[in-house]
Amino acid sequence: MPEDAAYYIDGVRSGNRKAISKTITLIESALPGHQELTYQVLDGLLPYTGQAVRLGITGVPGVGKSTFIETLGLRLIEKGRRVAILAVDPSSAKSGGSIMGDKTRMEKLAANSEAFIRPSPSGGTLGGVARKTRETILVLEAAGYDAVMVETVGVGQSEFSVASMVDFFLVLLLAGAGDELQGIKRGIIELADAIAVNKAEGENFFRAEKARKDYENALHMMAPRSDCWQPPVLTCSALEMTGIDEIWDTVLAHRKQMQASGALERRRREQARQWFDFLVEQGLKDWFYGLGEVRTLLPELTRRLEDGETTAMAAARQLLDLVTHEHERTQI
């Protein structure tokens, strides 16, 4: 990895795909020696960020997320936009690497020079969302991509994490697959800025229309994510490329409304603050468990807790007292 921040900054700004990939690899690196360089690169790129449409996409299993994203991406390129896809993969338990391989599932889009696809291993952090996805979005914006889509793995907390880093959160659903919410948590539906019933084609078209009305009724019973936007329910067919333009028009209408009301700026400010809080908490946790005294005492406390010799509260207090005592010693 080059050690000159200018290599990454200039390469990203010029749209050099090799430099963009290396910059993302640098950001994802857990090596301590890469952290300071990452800070320098991100600080250099920050003035060129913030202009892209940040779109999060999730959906039930079998809904056709990859086909939908590829179809939407190709359509946006036809409209003159540059598109980046961050597909957050579940990590391999053995290697920690991505195992879904979205480039193989989006062959046409991956082959287009105006598209950039990056499968990112989740590493088990943030409920399946790659910890560095937020910084990667900034890199892609600085590289000139004006539409950045983040695809979730569709399980657990990943939807909540993605919704906390995008401007627009789209939930893809199916018709005829159970009850109105198809087992999706109510909270995920409440995060939606729009719902799209996919695979509205052939004999399934009328079922999709019925599902659309059912979802509309369900949304009326939930509080919208924003006071200035009522999430619509749409239908589409990624396979037949119908309804795709309407979904993108909805994304743009939402952006226009949110910008006019100041809600977009407020959302991004709140997202930045939440991310700051998380990083501080994570940093404190890493520092705490890295203390020599903690590493020494933790195994014994864990054993005593598991053997029923102490309570979780007492064990935690004993461990945290190490920090208090260390602070008192430094003040003397």
Side-chain angles (χ1 to χ4, degrees):
M1 297 286 290
E3 298 182 0
D4 181 12
Y7 165 83
Y8 300 98
I9 296 171
D10 295 341
V12 168
R13 291 292 297 136
S14 66
N16 183 300
R17 297 173 72 89
K18 183 177 180 180
I20 294 171
S21 294
K22 284 192 173 183
T23 303
I24 297 174
T25 299
L26 173 69
I27 289 173
E28 292 177 344
S29 173
L31 295 177
H34 288 162
Q35 298 305 305
E36 183 59 36
L37 182 57
T38 296
Y39 300 148
Q40 295 175 22
V41 172
L42 290 175
D43 283 346
L45 293 176
L46 190 60
Y48 309 103
T49 65
Q51 300 305 310
V53 176
R54 302 171 183 175
L55 173 61
I57 300 174
T58 191
V60 297
V63 76
K65 275 186 299 183
S66 294
T67 303
F68 173 86
I69 291 171
E70 180 173 52
T71 300
L72 176 58
L74 291 172
R75 189 73 184 99
L76 294 182
I77 290 172
E78 289 177 5
K79 293 174 178 288
R81 291 184 177 268
R82 299 182 67 211
V83 178
I85 313 296
L86 296 177
V88 184
D89 284 355
S91 295
S92 164
K94 180 176 290 188
S95 69
S98 300
I99 60 177
M100 290 175 67
D102 278 82
K103 286 190 175 182
T104 62
R105 295 186 284 126
M106 303 179 191
E107 292 181 357
K108 292 181 180 179
L109 191 59
N112 196 299
S113 61
E114 297 302 304
F116 185 92
I117 300 177
R118 178 78 175 200
S120 299
S122 68
T125 62
L126 285 179
V129 174
R131 178 177 175 180
K132 303 297 187 179
T133 301
R134 295 169 190 259
E135 285 80 5
T136 301
I137 291 175
L138 299 180
V139 171
L140 294 169
E141 288 180 336
Y145 292 96
D146 47 13
V148 180
M149 290 184 265
V150 184
E151 176 191 6
T152 78
V153 297
V155 292
Q157 294 293 311
S158 60
E159 292 88 353
F160 295 91
S161 299
V162 168
S164 72
M165 68 179 74
V166 297
D167 305 327
F168 191 98
F169 191 61
L170 177 66
V171 178
L172 296 176
L173 297 175
L174 290 168
D179 61 75
E180 281 187 330
L181 301 185
Q182 299 176 357
I184 291 184
K185 294 178 181 178
R186 177 189 176 101
I188 295 174
I189 297 296
E190 289 178 331
L191 292 174
D193 292 302
I195 290 175
V197 183
N198 194 22
K199 301 187 179 182
E201 62 219 18
E203 296 180 355
N204 201 48
F205 177 82
F206 293 104
R207 286 193 294 270
E209 276 297 315
K210 181 181 183 303
R212 182 186 64 78
K213 295 178 182 178
D214 290 341
Y215 293 132
E216 279 185 345
N217 293 334
L219 280 179
H220 286 318
M221 296 183 289
M222 300 181 184
R225 187 181 180 192
S226 173
D227 294 336
C228 63
W229 178 260
Q230 180 61 43
V233 183
L234 309 167
T235 60
C236 67
S237 169
L239 189 62
E240 296 184 350
M241 301 184 182
T242 56
I244 303 300
D245 285 343
E246 287 76 9
I247 290 175
W248 182 246
D249 289 343
T250 299
V251 174
L252 295 182
H254 171 270
R255 186 177 183 82
K256 182 178 180 180
Q257 181 67 29
M258 295 283 282
Q259 285 177 326
S261 66
L264 181 61
E265 182 180 0
R266 289 194 299 272
R267 179 176 290 187
R268 286 192 174 186
R269 285 178 181 271
E270 177 65 16
Q271 289 173 347
R273 189 193 63 77
Q274 290 175 352
W275 185 235
F276 168 77
D277 290 344
F278 171 82
L279 291 177
V280 170
E281 292 172 5
Q282 188 65 45
L284 288 172
K285 181 179 178 181
D286 292 343
W287 167 79
F288 176 75
Y289 283 109
L291 293 174
E293 298 93 331
V294 172
R295 292 200 306 269
T296 300
L297 183 58
L298 185 59
E300 174 62 17
L301 283 177
T302 301
R303 183 198 64 76
R304 292 180 59 201
L305 178 65
E306 292 175 347
D307 291 346
E309 297 175 7
T310 186
T311 65
M313 182 179 295
R317 178 63 181 270
Q318 188 174 347
L319 203 61
L320 292 171
D321 277 347
L322 292 174
V323 179
T324 303
H325 295 156
E326 176 63 26
H327 176 70
E328 291 174 348
R329 284 197 299 270
T330 60
Q331 298 302 308
I332 297 175

